[in-house]
């Protein structure tokens, strides 16, 4: 049985239920997610935890204890499970790394980021692991700003405009971040049986329209809460580090390397990147959110 969903401006047909996504009545699918045996994988899975390889047939990925995936032309996702896997864990891979590859193959510039809507435009947050991308999105959502995407942000890069595609109404949060937005961690389901992160499924406050990207804030540690300019020589470096496909090193860039770099350059030219600094204290989240809101209001137009 197939289920149909909407995400990133695409219609997904899936043999596995994806309750994080928004159901749709459309049946003309852009992406098909299904199960079958993958008999021609070039991957040497052996004792490795994970591996991947880009080929003329598509992108092969393997995770130990999960299985092998084949993604072709941003349209077909084939899953060959290694074991009877917990569906929660499988969905994490589908909606994370697999969706990142699908979007990259379809020509989007994919960032490891979170994005919210402020004053009719999109604002994205990038930064190192556990520096609060999702926490910033959740905090701003709690203050009345709509979520656009969490973790996987898809940008449609044009010569004169960068737009953000809406993903789906979910934010993945650590327990301390859940507490900071006034909720109890035990009231939110874990992302997996052995994972501490929680699934914050939103019942409202999700932006379903594509929006222009206004700012990218690079999260980092500082002595005080502040927004500061980013040195021009660091801009491309930060964008490269937070490009979703860099986790696959050069594997995914072999065919689209030149286009990928062109997209990064256009993004750097059109969208300001700013440092958003704070001490390592979640108690300061309201101050950080206020600073971002005031900055957007002060620079409208």
């Amino acid at each position: 049985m197939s289920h149909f969903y909407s995400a990133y401006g695409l219609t997904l047909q899936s043999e596995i239920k994806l309750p994080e996504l928004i159901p749709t009545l459309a049946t003309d699918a852009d992406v098909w997610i299904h199960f079958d045996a993958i008999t021609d994988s070039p991957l040497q899975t052996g004792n490795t935890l994970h591996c991947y390889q880009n080929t003329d047939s598509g992108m092969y990925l393997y995770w130990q204890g999960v299985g092998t995936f084949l993604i072709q032309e941003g349209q077909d996702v084939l899953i060959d499970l290694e074991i009877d896997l917990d569906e929660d864990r499988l969905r994490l891979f589908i909606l994370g790394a697999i969706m990142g590859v699908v979007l990259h193959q379809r020509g989007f510039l994919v960032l490891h980021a979170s994005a919210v809507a402020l004053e009719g435009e999109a604002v994205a947050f990038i930064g190192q692991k556990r520096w609060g991308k999702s926490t910033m999105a959740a905090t701003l959502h709690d203050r009345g700003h709509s979520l656009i995407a969490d973790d996987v942000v898809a940008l449609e890069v044009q010569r004169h405009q960068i737009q953000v595609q809406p993903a789906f109404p979910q934010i993945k949060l650590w327990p301390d971040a859940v507490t900071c937005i006034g909720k109890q961690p035990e009231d939110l389901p874990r992302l997996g049986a052995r994972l501490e992160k929680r699934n914050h499924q939103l019942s409202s406050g999700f932006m379903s329209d594509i929006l222009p990207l206004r700012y990218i804030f690079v999260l980092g540690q500082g002595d005080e809460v502040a927004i500061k300019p980013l040195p021009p020589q660091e801009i491309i470096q930060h964008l490269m580090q937070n490009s979703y496909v860099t986790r696959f090193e050069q594997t995914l860039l072999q065919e689209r390397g030149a286009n990928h770099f062109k997209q990064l350059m256009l993004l750097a030219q059109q969208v300001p990147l700013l440092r958003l600094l704070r001490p390592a204290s979640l108690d300061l989240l309201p101050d950080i959110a206020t600073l971002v809101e005031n900055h957007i209001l002060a620079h409208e137009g």
Side-chain angles (χ1 to χ4, degrees):
M1 179 179 178
S2 288
H3 310 273
F4 291 86
Y5 303 99
S6 175
Y8 299 102
L10 304 171
T11 297
L12 281 62
Q13 178 181 353
S14 175
E15 289 185 355
I16 179 176
K17 289 184 179 180
L18 301 170
E20 297 85 356
L21 303 189
I22 299 173
T24 179
L25 297 176
T27 56
D28 187 12
D30 301 296
V31 181
W32 184 28
I33 302 169
H34 58 113
F35 299 95
D36 205 346
I38 298 175
T39 59
D40 58 349
S41 172
L43 300 176
Q44 302 297 315
T45 56
N47 297 320
T48 186
L49 293 176
H50 59 84
C51 55
Y52 33 80
Q53 184 173 333
N54 201 35
T55 71
D56 292 339
S57 299
M59 180 72 174
Y60 290 86
L61 300 95
Y62 167 80
W63 283 277
Q64 188 180 86
V66 180
T68 302
F69 299 77
L70 172 60
I71 305 99
Q72 298 175 299
E73 299 181 352
Q75 300 176 352
D76 188 66
V77 177
L78 184 58
I79 306 171
D80 188 355
L81 291 183
E82 193 171 83
I83 56 175
D84 291 331
L85 185 69
D86 183 294
E87 286 195 359
D88 288 344
R89 190 175 181 209
L90 178 57
R91 294 201 311 274
L92 280 177
F93 286 100
I94 293 173
L95 299 178
I98 301 304
M99 188 56 63
V101 174
V102 167
L103 293 166
H104 177 76
Q105 288 183 346
R106 297 186 73 92
F108 291 99
L109 176 58
V110 188
L111 295 182
H112 189 204
S114 294
V116 296
L118 275 82
E119 303 300 323
E121 296 180 301
V123 175
F125 301 93
I126 62 175
Q128 296 181 16
K129 188 176 181 180
R130 294 211 69 168
W131 255 102
K133 299 180 289 292
S134 298
T135 304
M136 279 303 307
T139 301
L140 288 164
H141 175 267
D142 199 47
R143 294 164 69 94
H145 306 290
S146 295
L147 176 74
I148 303 174
D150 178 47
D151 189 43
V152 180
V153 172
L155 305 182
E156 185 176 334
V157 179
Q158 301 171 349
R159 184 167 295 277
H160 300 295
Q161 190 174 45
I162 311 293
Q163 295 182 306
V164 184
Q165 285 283 356
F168 47 93
Q170 179 201 40
I171 307 177
K172 296 180 288 187
L173 296 171
W174 294 102
D176 54 356
V178 173
T179 302
C180 284
I181 60 170
K183 299 184 181 299
Q184 298 302 315
E186 57 269 23
D187 292 337
L188 298 180
R190 295 170 183 260
L191 291 172
R194 298 181 180 180
L195 299 177
E196 281 298 316
K197 255 190 172 181
R198 299 314 204 260
N199 177 0
H200 183 25
Q201 196 78 23
L202 306 181
S203 58
S204 62
F206 174 69
M207 174 55 64
S208 58
D209 297 326
I210 189 170
L211 289 181
L213 181 59
R214 181 69 179 88
Y215 284 105
I216 296 176
F217 289 99
V218 182
L219 303 179
Q221 187 169 358
D223 295 331
E224 60 182 1
V225 175
I227 293 174
K228 295 185 178 181
L230 192 69
Q233 65 271 21
E234 294 185 17
I235 290 176
I236 290 295
Q237 175 187 344
H238 281 286
L239 292 177
M240 286 288 290
Q241 289 173 346
N242 291 278
S243 172
Y244 203 85
V245 298
T246 57
R247 64 178 57 194
F248 302 111
E249 299 172 352
Q250 295 301 311
T251 305
L252 266 181
L253 300 180
Q254 292 172 356
E255 294 181 0
R256 295 181 169 86
N259 183 60
H260 182 74
F261 188 74
K262 180 181 178 181
Q263 288 178 321
L264 291 175
M265 290 299 296
L266 287 171
L267 177 58
Q269 292 166 6
Q270 296 183 45
V271 177
L273 268 72
L274 299 169
R275 293 189 187 276
L276 179 54
L277 303 174
R278 66 169 174 85
S281 171
L282 292 179
D283 293 338
L284 294 172
L285 281 172
D287 296 335
I288 303 167
T290 298
L291 182 65
V292 171
E293 291 168 338
N294 290 342
H295 184 89
I296 300 300
L297 287 172
H299 295 85
E300 276 190 289

